[in-house]
Amino acid sequence: MNRALFLIVFSALTLCAESYFTVDLPENWQKVPTSSLSIYNHAEDALKNEKVGTYSAAYERKALLDFTLPYILVEQEKHAPYSVSELESMAEEMPSIIRQAYLPLHRAGKFGEVKVMPGIYDRERNMVFTYYEMVRAKPREEMFAFTACFPSKIGLVKLHGFGKRSDYEKSMAEMEQILNSFAFGSNYFYQPPLKSSKKLKALPAVCICAFILLYALRFIGKRQSGGREPFSKKE
């Protein structure tokens, strides 16, 4: 295992000696070099016509070129500690947020239609998880993706995973391993107080995997039965 430590930094000063969060990377994965991440962020900013430097870190399967699928992007947000109801609302709103994020890319012809599953709040893992699929135009590639949101005492860490549909089983297994290993340092760990909620869900990792697999198989079945390509751009 490769343990990746992420030190939270403000104005070049580390808040404390302890890491903000850690993940265990599979042996064939690595952290994306800062120089490559800067180039990626610059391209994203240019596309959105704004300067935000969205991603603070990235992890990838080792390859000749950086950002060869699969890879995971890390995004951070500052926020007061989230309540259970806020995390449940986040799960409900995440599909719409993802569709809106891809709308400019869809209109620019870079991606086809984005198919998003309903978001879930997994109480046991304290994570909001959303899975989706789409087609990248150039180079043409059917892709799967997910966004996993982990709340802390000082905000939110989002892991955005991307992989090839043709490599789904291997890529998803490796990225699930990374998700399972995610942990905040003790100074940042936060568990929302337990309170009654009709929408509260506590799904173990195996349930999430099964949920994703059933969703994927449903679309595979449509293809085999001669239905319309579910991930192709609408005419």
Side-chain angles (χ1 to χ4, degrees), residues 218-231:
R218 191 183 80 177
F219 283 118
I220 293 172
K222 283 185 179 181
R223 292 180 183 180
Q224 293 177 342
S225 63
R228 182 178 68 84
E229 281 281 328
F231 309 121

Side-chain angles (χ1 to χ4, degrees), residues 56-161:
S56 53
Y59 311 114
E60 63 185 1
R61 184 189 290 164
K62 295 176 183 176
L64 182 62
L65 300 175
D66 288 325
F67 291 107
T68 298
L69 296 170
Y71 57 84
I72 292 176
L73 298 168
V74 180
E75 182 182 2
Q76 292 185 87
E77 294 180 5
K78 293 182 184 179
H79 195 281
Y82 285 88
S83 66
V84 169
S85 60
E86 286 176 322
L87 292 170
E88 290 173 341
S89 295
M90 184 187 300
E92 292 179 354
E93 296 166 2
M94 192 59 69
S96 177
I97 292 172
I98 290 172
R99 292 188 191 97
Q100 287 298 317
Y102 276 90
L103 187 57
L105 298 174
H106 177 71
R107 288 173 174 169
K110 295 182 179 296
F111 283 90
E113 183 181 1
V114 178
K115 301 288 187 179
V116 190
M117 285 180 65
I120 60 170
Y121 171 48
D122 178 358
R123 170 76 189 184
E124 184 175 309
R125 300 167 77 186
N126 197 24
M127 173 184 72
V128 173
F129 185 89
T130 311
Y131 175 87
Y132 56 104
E133 297 185 350
M134 65 282 196
V135 170
R136 181 176 62 190
K138 293 181 181 180
R140 182 175 174 80
E141 188 73 63
E142 292 188 1
M143 297 173 58
F144 72 89
F146 65 80
T147 294
C149 305
F150 296 90
S152 74
K153 288 181 179 178
I154 61 174
L156 199 68
V157 173
K158 298 179 181 179
L159 301 189
H160 304 279

Side-chain angles (χ1 to χ4, degrees), residues 140-205:
R140 182 175 174 80
E141 188 73 63
E142 292 188 1
M143 297 173 58
F144 72 89
F146 65 80
T147 294
C149 305
F150 296 90
S152 74
K153 288 181 179 178
I154 61 174
L156 199 68
V157 173
K158 298 179 181 179
L159 301 189
H160 304 279
F162 302 90
K164 298 179 181 180
R165 283 287 297 118
S166 59
D167 189 43
Y168 174 84
E169 290 187 10
K170 180 179 179 181
S171 295
M172 194 63 207
E174 292 173 348
M175 290 192 283
E176 176 75 5
Q177 180 179 331
I178 294 171
L179 291 182
N180 286 339
S181 73
F182 184 96
F184 286 110
S186 59
N187 287 327
Y188 304 104
F189 174 78
Y190 172 69
Q191 186 72 37
L194 181 62
K195 59 181 180 181
S196 60
S197 172
K198 294 180 181 179
K199 301 175 184 176
L200 193 61
K201 300 180 179 69
L203 301 180

